[in-house]
């Protein structure tokens, strides 16, 4: 193992963009991004997945990949939640101009039995139309036979549970749950470090080549959880912030990640205990992260990774700001 950098600092990464056909242009327009593709469906903000590797763009570690850093620094960077120095999550912004395919990902048990990478995820709703919704799970009583017949008869939409969404709330999507993000939703997605997706229905549309997009019916049938619980929109739970004028909420906690929201009116101090990294996404305004070794500005719509062994630091808003934090 190479020597650990003696002075850890918050890491900014070059976004990795995806131009899937259902994407729009809000990642560029709302977050002042340049050089995005058109359409721009996803921005992989923090990723150590080989399909879209994050590269550091600031400080002495600029040019290094997140995979390299994990191998070099391990626990100092990620804390106690990384196996073999591998960053355990993948954090994205998703802009759904049109709806995504109906799909499913394996959970831990299914991935071990059938292959692929386990993927539990959550969607924090950044923006949505007044009638915005997502599909999350199947209606009661739907089993393999009914679902199979619906695929043949092109009646899958009639079997899907829909959940109305509003900005500031979230939807939890465990592995095995059939789901789809629908048109108009701008989402911060936090997921396990996986790029395994099994497409089961694609609204009868064609790809850029004029042909129907590939479906993965056999694999999907193997990993769908036919007894998945009904999951609804989750409302953040108020918590106590360190600074009196700030507001703090728990968005979601599961076996793989924890998300919190801070509405900042003044500097909020953080005291890392070394157990986990923290990713900060600036959903509104902009912030400055200050520590004994320096400071860094993080603008609206950007993400940074704060190492587990970071010294104490504060996050100071410019006027006012809202941040979403992610820990393992």
């Amino acid at each position: 193992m190479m020597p650990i950098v003696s002075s850890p600092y918050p890491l900014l990464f070059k976004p990795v963009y995806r131009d899937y056909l259902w994407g729009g242009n809000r990642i560029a327009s709302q977050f002042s991004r340049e050089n995005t593709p058109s359409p721009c469906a996803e921005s992989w903000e923090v990723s150590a997945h080989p399909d879209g590797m994050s590269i550091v763009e600031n400080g002495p570690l600029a040019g290094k990949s997140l995979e390299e850093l994990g191998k070099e620094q391990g626990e100092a960077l990620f804390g106690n939640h990384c196996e073999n120095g591998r960053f355990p999550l993948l954090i994205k912004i998703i802009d759904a101009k049109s709806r995504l395919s109906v799909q499913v990902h394996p959970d831990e048990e299914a991935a071990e039995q059938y292959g692929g990478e386990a993927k539990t995820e959550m969607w924090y709703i950044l923006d949505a139309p007044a009638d915005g919704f997502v599909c999350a799970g199947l209606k009661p009583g739907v089993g393999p036979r009914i679902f199979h017949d619906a695929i043949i008869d092109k009646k899958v939409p009639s079997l899907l549970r829909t959940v109305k969404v509003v900005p500031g709330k979230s939807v939890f999507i465990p592995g095995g749950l059939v789901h789809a993000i629908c048109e108009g939703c701008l989402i911060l997605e936090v997921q396990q470090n996986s790029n395994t997706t099994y497409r089961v229905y694609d609204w009868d549309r064609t790809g850029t080549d004029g042909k129907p997009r590939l479906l993965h019916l056999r694999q999907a049938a193997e990993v769908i959880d036919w007894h998945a619980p009904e999951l609804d929109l989750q409302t953040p739970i108020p918590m106590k912030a360190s600074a009196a004028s700030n507001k703090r909420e728990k968005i979601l906690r599961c076996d793989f990640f924890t998300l919190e929201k801070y509405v900042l009116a003044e500097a909020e101090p953080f005291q890392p205990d070394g157990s986990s990294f923290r990713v900060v996404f600036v959903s509104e305004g902009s912030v400055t992260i200050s520590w004994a070794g320096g400071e860094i500005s993080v603008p609206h719509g950007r993400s940074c990774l704060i190492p587990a062994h970071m010294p104490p630091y504060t996050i100071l808003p410019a006027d006012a700001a809202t941040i979403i934090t992610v820990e393992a």
Side-chain angles (χ1 to χ4, degrees):
M1 179 176 290
M2 295 179 65
I4 294 174
V5 174
S6 59
S7 300
Y9 65 94
L11 301 173
L12 296 172
F13 299 99
K14 299 176 182 178
V16 178
Y17 296 119
R18 292 286 182 262
D19 61 352
Y20 306 135
L21 59 85
W22 43 262
N25 60 14
R26 284 182 295 175
I27 292 174
S29 63
Q30 291 196 205
F31 302 132
S32 301
R33 301 285 184 93
E34 297 180 352
N35 302 316
T36 58
S38 183
C40 184
E42 296 183 352
S43 173
W44 291 23
E45 296 287 288
V46 185
S47 165
H49 197 281
D51 291 345
M53 183 63 63
S54 287
I55 304 297
V56 179
E57 71 172 16
N58 68 310
L61 297 175
K64 282 187 173 287
S65 73
L66 190 52
E67 181 180 45
E68 287 180 272
L69 293 180
K71 291 177 180 178
E72 293 173 6
Q73 300 192 26
E75 187 174 323
L77 183 59
F78 299 145
N80 306 329
H81 304 279
C82 59
E83 187 175 348
N84 301 320
R86 184 174 189 254
F87 186 65
L89 305 179
L90 201 169
I91 298 171
K92 306 175 180 178
I93 302 171
I94 296 177
D95 176 17
K97 183 177 181 180
S98 58
R99 62 186 60 182
L100 280 65
S101 62
V102 180
Q103 57 192 245
V104 67
H105 316 296
D107 61 14
E108 299 284 326
E109 184 178 346
E112 184 175 348
Q113 183 172 357
Y114 298 110
E117 301 168 311
K119 184 176 175 182
T120 283
E121 63 190 41
M122 65 76 60
W123 305 329
Y124 178 80
I125 311 301
L126 296 169
D127 193 18
D131 57 352
F133 69 98
V134 297
C135 300
L138 301 171
K139 291 180 179 178
V142 176
R145 183 65 187 179
I146 293 174
F147 196 64
H148 176 269
D149 290 347
I151 291 172
I152 300 300
D153 298 335
K154 298 185 178 182
K155 294 181 178 179
V156 170
S158 67
L159 305 184
L160 302 174
R161 287 188 69 246
T162 58
V163 177
K164 235 192 130 170
V165 294
V166 295
K169 296 190 178 182
S170 61
V171 183
F172 181 54
I173 305 291
L177 189 78
V178 176
H179 61 275
I181 298 172
C182 294
E183 58 271 21
C185 294
L186 183 68
I187 283 172
L188 177 69
E189 178 178 278
V190 178
Q191 57 164 86
Q192 290 177 271
N193 187 355
S194 164
N195 199 28
T196 297
T197 294
Y198 299 136
R199 195 181 298 130
V200 297
Y201 182 72
D202 199 33
W203 314 101
D204 303 321
R205 64 185 163 191
T206 57
T208 54
D209 59 1
K211 299 178 181 179
R213 294 206 295 168
L214 180 67
L215 301 180
H216 313 94
L217 302 181
R218 177 185 59 80
Q219 298 95 323
E222 291 172 341
V223 306
I224 290 174
D225 180 359
W226 301 105
H227 304 289
E230 295 188 8
L231 299 172
D232 294 312
L233 198 64
Q234 300 200 13
T235 300
I237 299 172
M239 301 175 70
K240 183 175 176 58
S242 296
S245 300
N246 295 337
K247 296 180 180 179
R248 177 187 178 192
E249 296 175 328
K250 182 176 73 175
I251 296 172
L252 177 75
R253 179 174 295 161
C254 70
D255 291 341
F256 308 107
F257 42 77
T258 297
L259 278 83
E260 294 184 358
K261 173 182 177 179
Y262 291 81
V263 179
L264 302 177
E266 60 178 306
E268 179 74 14
F270 291 86
Q271 301 278 341
D273 62 8
S275 65
S276 175
F277 60 86
R278 177 180 280 117
V279 172
V280 175
F281 172 74
V282 183
S283 62
E284 296 179 38
S286 61
V287 302
T288 298
I289 302 175
S290 301
W291 67 103
E295 65 178 32
I296 184 173
S297 296
V298 186
H300 178 220
R302 288 299 303 271
S303 308
C304 72
L305 172 64
I306 299 177
H309 286 194
M310 185 80 183
Y313 60 93
T314 61
I315 300 182
L316 176 68
D319 295 326
T322 300
I323 61 172
I324 308 299
T325 67
V326 184
E327 298 180 64

